[in-house]
């Protein structure tokens, strides 16, 4: 017991007197049981949204992107807003599993699996938007530097859009192997419990024959650590590069050096909000309240509060620097954001992202599940508005006042966005029924240090 | 290859650790240990060599870095230099700031994927590979020490019974 000591001040991360076997049973339950009615209802809604999204995508591709609400002045709007929004959401997963692993935060273990799943699914949604925006997605391979036979041109490595191609595809694939490597022991656990032959076959296939030898575990831990070390700068680089899409341009309101840290903080902020949204529901539906405890939710709320404050500082810095720079175009861009025709979007962003997370300073509020859920939705809306404000308000006032215009989305714009939300939930709901949603092998390693039953024993023995 | 094995099964990681320590002290040859989760410190007691995967990762990273630099140099400087916003298209070193993001991403890409592939190959993990844990419970809550038996079965059993054992299995002809 002495080797599993943890300071008594640390709250338990696993409650309900668990044993190793009980953890396996709890994690396998959603997979081995049947889906309930609520699951089917939510799944059907998500599937319908997804189908509607596909219809809108087919219409866009067959007719051309003129079916969107874009015009000559506002040439980028919902597509890139949605792209950045989804990529941002995709940042929490790798942050939780990589950065928190490097900092040896044990609370990551209850949530990392689902957060990584969320990352992968939301990066898929993000990737759809540039693909559709190409207009001819079957020529998407033109963004790859291949010696081409159509002319003598290569892709342009000076362009932030090409950097994005490399960043997002590296991020997606590295997150995927990180996720899958962590899944192997858990798939193996499901495989060894499976009674139905078909289930056994599938989980044997996906667990890659994991056997749990001492040597395998030694390598597994080394690989996890090195991947975490690689994924940490990677996750920071990805949103930095996404911010370069704007920051390297000369549009007032985009041309700012604060963008990289500001976007990264915003991404973590929105990602954690989405993790909270998903996990607050999932812990209830899958009976995982003993593993995703109130302590986990509170810690995520603290991260939301801190990153929300960083984002708030970035907003204020932007305003200050716009004034301080003495550049009147820059000053106008920001004045126009707050008081121009899109003032409502700006203040929706400010309210959702800067003011509402400050409520998390109150312990009563940040330990309230209902309140956490509401704030997580509010933050997601706010972060969508942030991207909309940055993109559309900077574009809709051109250098030529005769080109000044407004943007309003067409129903196709809205349809594709709703479609990606549907697609995301289709993937996540299927995941929640077929994958071990808790990293059970990792959770078992902290049972003796952070389980409530072991903590009680230590309290009683006085050490 | 021995064709008879003793499987000492434990139901707790601390009991396993004590048992492995004891057996090592008694000079028992332990072929393998199967556990449901990484038991920290087990590799030290078993005297496993440290893994060299991190070293390979470093080498793969160097390969990725070199590949990125050489590829961009060929494409942007050698094969078809273009005047893009007046940037110095004739010199890699003067134009390198714009190439850092892609070179960095390629370094990470090569390191991560090649290291994971190496891990899968070294630990013999791939789709359709058959699992080799002797009993299915070792992925749940049991810890198993596999010891080959020649003609010391009685002696072995006596030693193992001194540890906090859950169950002993004798398995024959495991590896054909």
């Amino acid at each position: 017991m002495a080797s599993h000591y943890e300071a008594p001040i640390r709250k338990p991360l696993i409650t309900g007197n668990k044993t190793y076997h009980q953890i396996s049973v709890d994690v396998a339950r959603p997979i081995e049981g049947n889906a309930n009615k609520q699951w089917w209802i939510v799944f059907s809604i998500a599937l319908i949204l997804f189908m509607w999204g596909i219809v809108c995508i087919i219409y866009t591709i067959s007719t051309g992107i003129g079916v969107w609400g874009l015009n000559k002045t506002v040439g980028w709007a919902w597509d890139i807003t949605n792209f950045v929004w989804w990529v941002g959401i995709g940042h929490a997963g790798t942050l939780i599993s990589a950065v928190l692993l490097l900092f040896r935060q044990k609370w990551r273990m209850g949530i990392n699996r689902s957060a990584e799943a969320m990352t992968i699914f939301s990066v898929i949604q993000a990737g759809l938007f540039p693909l559709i925006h190409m207009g001819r997605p079957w020529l998407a391979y033109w963004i790859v530097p291949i010696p081409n036979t159509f002319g003598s041109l290569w892709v342009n490595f000076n362009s932030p859009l090409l950097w994005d191609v490399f960043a997002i595809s590296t991020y997606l694939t590295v997150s995927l192997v990180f996720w899958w490597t962590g899944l192997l022991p858990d798939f193996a656990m499901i495989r060894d419990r499976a009674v139905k032959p078909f289930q056994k076959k599938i989980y044997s296939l996906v667990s890659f024959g994991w056997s749990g030898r001492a040597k395998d575990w030694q390598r597994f831990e080394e690989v996890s650590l090195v991947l975490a070390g690689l994924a940490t700068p990677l996750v920071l680089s990805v949103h930095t590069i996404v911010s370069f899409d704007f920051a390297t341009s000369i549009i007032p309101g985009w041309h700012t050096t604060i963008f990289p840290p500001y976007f990264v903080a915003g991404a973590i902020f929105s990602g954690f909000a989405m993790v909270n949204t998903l996990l607050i529901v999932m812990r209830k539906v899958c009976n995982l309240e003993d593993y995703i405890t109130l302590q986990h939710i509170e810690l995520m709320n603290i991260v939301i509060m801190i990153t929300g404050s960083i984002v708030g500082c970035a907003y204020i810095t932007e305003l200050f620097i716009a004034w301080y720079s003495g550049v009147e175009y820059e000053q106008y861009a920001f004045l126009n954001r707050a008081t121009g025709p899109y003032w409502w979007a700006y203040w929706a962003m400010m309210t959702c992202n800067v003011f509402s997370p400050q409520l998390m300073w109150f312990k009563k509020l940040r330990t309230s599940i209902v309140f956490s859920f509401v704030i997580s939705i509010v933050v997601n809306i706010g972060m969508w508005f942030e991207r909309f404000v940055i993109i559309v308000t900077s574009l809709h006032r051109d250098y030529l006042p005769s080109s000044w215009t407004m943007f309003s989305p067409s129903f196709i714009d809205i349809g594709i966005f709703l479609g990606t939300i549907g697609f995301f939930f289709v993937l996540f709901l299927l995941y929640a029924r077929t994958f071990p949603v808790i990293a059970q092998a990792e959770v078992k390693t902290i049972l003796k240090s952070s389980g409530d039953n072991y903590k009680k024993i230590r309290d009683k023995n006085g050490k | 290859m021995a064709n008879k094995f003793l499987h000492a099964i434990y139901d707790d990681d601390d009991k396993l650790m004590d048992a492995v320590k004891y057996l090592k002290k008694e000079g028992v040859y332990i072929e393998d240990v199967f556990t449901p989760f990484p038991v920290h410190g087990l590799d030290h007691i078993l005297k496993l060599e440290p893994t060299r995967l991190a070293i390979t990762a470093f080498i793969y990273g160097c390969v990725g870095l070199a590949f990125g630099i050489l590829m961009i140099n060929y494409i942007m400087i050698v094969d078809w230099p273009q005047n893009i916003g007046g940037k110095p298209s004739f010199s890699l070193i003067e134009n390198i700031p714009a190439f850092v993001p892609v070179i960095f991403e390629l370094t990470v890409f090569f390191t991560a994927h090649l290291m994971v592939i190496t891990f899968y190959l070294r630990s013999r993990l791939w789709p359709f590979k058959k699992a080799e844990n002797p009993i299915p419970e070792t992925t749940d809550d049991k810890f198993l020490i596999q010891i080959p038996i020649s003609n010391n079965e009685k002696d072995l059993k006596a030693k193992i019974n001194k540890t906090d054992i859950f169950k002993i299995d004798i398995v024959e002809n495991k590896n054909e």
Side-chain angles (χ1 to χ4, degrees):
Chain A
M1 279 305 288
S3 63
H4 300 288
Y5 177 78
E6 185 183 76
I9 198 167
R10 302 233 174 242
K11 289 189 187 139
L13 296 171
I14 305 161
T15 58
N17 295 322
K18 299 297 178 199
T19 59
Y20 292 138
H21 180 63
Q22 191 59 41
I23 294 175
S24 308
V25 172
D26 289 341
V27 172
R29 194 187 303 115
I31 301 170
E32 291 167 352
N34 286 323
N36 58 14
K37 212 165 142 195
Q38 287 153 309
W39 188 88
W40 281 109
I41 294 171
V42 181
F43 184 74
S44 310
I45 297 170
L47 197 64
I48 291 167
L49 281 178
F50 177 34
M51 291 301 159
W52 176 239
I54 289 181
V55 170
C56 292
I57 290 172
I58 291 173
Y59 182 60
T60 303
I61 290 167
S62 55
T63 313
I65 50 170
V67 298
W68 291 355
L70 302 176
N71 52 51
K72 192 170 77 58
T73 312
V74 185
W76 262 10
W78 272 48
D79 49 343
I80 191 96
T81 302
N82 297 338
F83 163 76
V84 182
W85 188 68
W86 278 120
V87 173
I89 287 171
H91 271 59
T94 307
L95 189 100
I96 288 170
S97 38
V99 180
L100 298 186
L101 186 146
L102 295 182
F103 285 118
R104 302 284 175 210
Q105 293 295 308
K106 290 178 185 167
W107 60 280
R108 80 173 196 282
M109 293 173 186
I111 55 174
N112 62 356
R113 177 65 40 74
S114 299
E116 282 173 54
M118 181 199 77
T119 290
I120 290 159
F121 301 152
S122 55
V123 173
I124 292 172
Q125 309 312 322
L128 281 176
F129 285 97
L131 196 69
I132 304 166
H133 201 169
M134 285 174 186
R136 289 180 289 170
W138 52 93
L139 299 179
Y141 66 95
W142 284 12
I143 59 178
V144 181
I146 40 169
N148 74 51
T149 51
F150 313 111
S152 307
L153 287 174
W154 292 92
V155 287
N156 176 13
F157 282 93
N158 288 306
S159 162
L161 297 178
L162 188 73
W163 304 345
D164 242 2
V165 171
F166 280 85
I168 306 267
S169 43
T170 303
Y171 186 57
L172 179 65
T173 57
V174 171
S175 299
L176 192 68
V177 297
F178 196 5
W179 188 51
W180 208 270
T181 304
L183 272 163
L184 295 179
D186 298 356
F187 276 145
M189 184 276 283
I190 307 280
R191 170 198 73 206
D192 289 343
R193 283 174 55 87
V195 276
K196 296 178 204 150
F198 178 70
Q199 225 179 24
K200 193 150 203 114
K201 216 169 209 165
I202 292 292
Y203 288 105
S204 301
L205 179 69
V206 294
S207 65
F208 291 7
W210 177 266
S211 310
R213 286 196 171 86
K215 187 72 193 175
D216 293 348
W217 280 120
Q218 187 199 34
R219 292 189 183 124
F220 176 92
E221 296 227 285
E222 183 96 346
V223 165
S224 305
L225 184 66
V226 176
L227 278 181
L230 286 170
T232 302
L234 178 64
V235 74
L236 301 182
S237 81
V238 172
H239 225 63
T240 298
I241 291 175
V242 169
S243 82
F244 285 164
D245 290 348
F246 305 99
T248 58
S249 76
I250 50 162
I251 306 281
W254 290 3
H255 184 65
T256 62
T257 45
I258 200 178
F259 262 23
Y262 157 26
F263 268 49
V264 170
I268 296 164
F269 179 54
S270 66
F272 267 84
M274 191 57 126
V275 173
N276 243 351
T277 313
L278 294 173
L279 291 191
I280 286 173
V281 178
M282 199 181 78
R283 72 196 278 273
K284 192 95 200 153
V285 176
C286 297
N287 292 315
L288 294 169
E289 283 112 324
D290 288 333
Y291 303 97
I292 304 166
T293 63
L294 199 57
Q295 169 72 1
H296 289 89
I297 294 175
E298 187 185 347
L299 288 167
M300 284 195 276
N301 281 336
I302 293 173
V303 175
I304 290 175
M305 180 180 85
I306 290 172
T307 48
S309 307
I310 297 174
V311 168
C313 284
Y315 292 166
I316 295 162
T317 309
E318 250 188 346
L319 291 177
F320 171 77
I321 292 296
W323 166 76
Y324 189 65
S325 70
V327 180
E328 53 200 335
Y329 299 102
E330 205 62 43
Q331 289 170 346
Y332 173 75
F334 285 93
L335 195 67
N336 181 49
R337 271 186 196 175
T339 59
Y342 282 112
W343 64 271
W344 49 272
Y346 183 82
W347 292 105
M349 159 188 114
M350 276 291 188
T351 317
C352 296
N353 293 351
V354 183
F355 302 124
S356 68
Q358 297 307 319
L359 295 170
M360 295 296 188
W361 287 100
F362 299 103
K363 190 164 174 91
K364 207 165 199 147
L365 292 176
R366 69 170 184 262
T367 51
S368 150
I369 290 179
V370 177
F371 184 78
S372 307
F373 187 74
V374 172
I375 287 288
S376 72
I377 302 275
V378 165
V379 167
N380 275 316
I381 296 171
M383 284 308 291
W384 190 90
F385 271 112
E386 179 199 293
R387 280 66 179 252
F388 180 80
V389 165
I390 291 172
I391 292 155
V392 173
T393 64
S394 293
L395 287 177
H396 86 297
R397 289 292 175 258
D398 200 352
Y399 289 106
L400 277 178
S402 58
S403 308
W404 286 10
T405 181
M406 295 291 282
F407 171 81
S408 56
S410 71
F411 79 98
I412 300 289
D413 277 310
I414 301 168
I416 294 178
F417 179 50
L418 293 179
T420 55
I421 293 176
F423 190 17
F424 176 78
F425 278 98
V426 164
L427 290 173
F428 197 83
L429 287 163
L430 288 174
Y431 151 82
R433 295 267 308 115
T434 50
F435 279 57
V437 294
I438 303 273
Q440 54 93 27
E442 279 189 278
V443 166
K444 283 172 184 170
T445 64
I446 59 161
L447 177 66
K448 285 188 176 174
S449 60
S450 308
D452 61 346
N453 39 353
Y454 289 93
K455 278 193 174 280
K456 265 179 221 145
I457 296 170
R458 273 199 301 269
D459 284 348
K460 224 157 81 203
N461 298 345
K463 62 168 185 175
Chain B
M1 200 96 214
N3 54 8
K4 207 169 175 193
F5 290 93
L6 186 147
H7 288 163
I9 302 168
Y10 296 84
D11 60 357
D12 186 88
D13 47 337
D14 292 325
K15 291 176 190 170
L16 171 88
M17 288 287 270
D18 292 341
V20 172
K21 264 182 223 163
Y22 173 77
L23 293 175
K24 274 276 168 192
K25 211 175 73 197
E26 292 291 311
V28 175
Y29 172 71
I30 295 175
E31 193 180 76
D32 229 327
V33 179
F34 295 86
T35 60
F37 57 81
V39 179
H40 291 151
L42 183 63
D43 50 343
H44 288 292
I45 299 175
L46 284 173
K47 300 203 171 63
L48 294 181
E49 293 275 320
T51 167
R52 288 162 299 176
L53 276 170
I55 300 168
T56 67
F58 180 76
I59 296 167
Y60 295 144
C62 295
V63 172
L65 181 74
F67 176 81
I69 294 172
L70 291 176
M71 180 185 77
I72 292 180
N73 182 53
Y74 175 71
I75 292 176
M76 298 298 290
I77 311 294
V78 177
D79 190 46
W80 195 272
Q82 298 171 81
N83 186 344
I84 296 159
K87 287 175 187 152
S89 58
F90 46 84
S91 153
L92 178 74
I93 202 72
E94 283 178 50
N95 214 350
I96 208 136
F99 301 151
V100 164
V102 173
I103 293 172
F104 170 77
E105 298 299 335
L106 284 171
T107 309
V108 171
F109 187 90
F110 272 64
T111 318
H113 289 296
L114 292 177
M115 175 184 63
V116 169
I117 290 169
T118 311
F119 166 52
Y120 286 177
L121 292 180
R122 285 295 281 133
S123 281
R124 310 182 65 74
L125 301 164
W126 48 76
F128 300 106
K129 170 86 190 322
K130 257 185 105 66
E132 285 162 355
N133 44 336
I135 57 164
E137 289 81 6
T138 57
T139 54
D140 177 11
D141 63 342
K142 297 291 181 284
F143 305 77
L144 187 145
I145 305 177
Q146 179 166 292
I147 303 165
I149 301 173
S150 32
N151 44 15
N152 51 351
E153 192 175 328
K154 242 192 184 144
D155 176 47
L156 266 180
K157 273 191 172 168
K159 279 177 184 160
I160 286 167
N161 275 323
K162 281 191 190 147
T163 64
D164 200 347
I165 186 85
F166 175 74
K167 199 174 132 201
I168 298 182
D169 275 347
I170 304 291
V171 188
E172 285 195 53
N173 256 347
K174 205 190 123 262
N175 290 343
E176 273 102 314

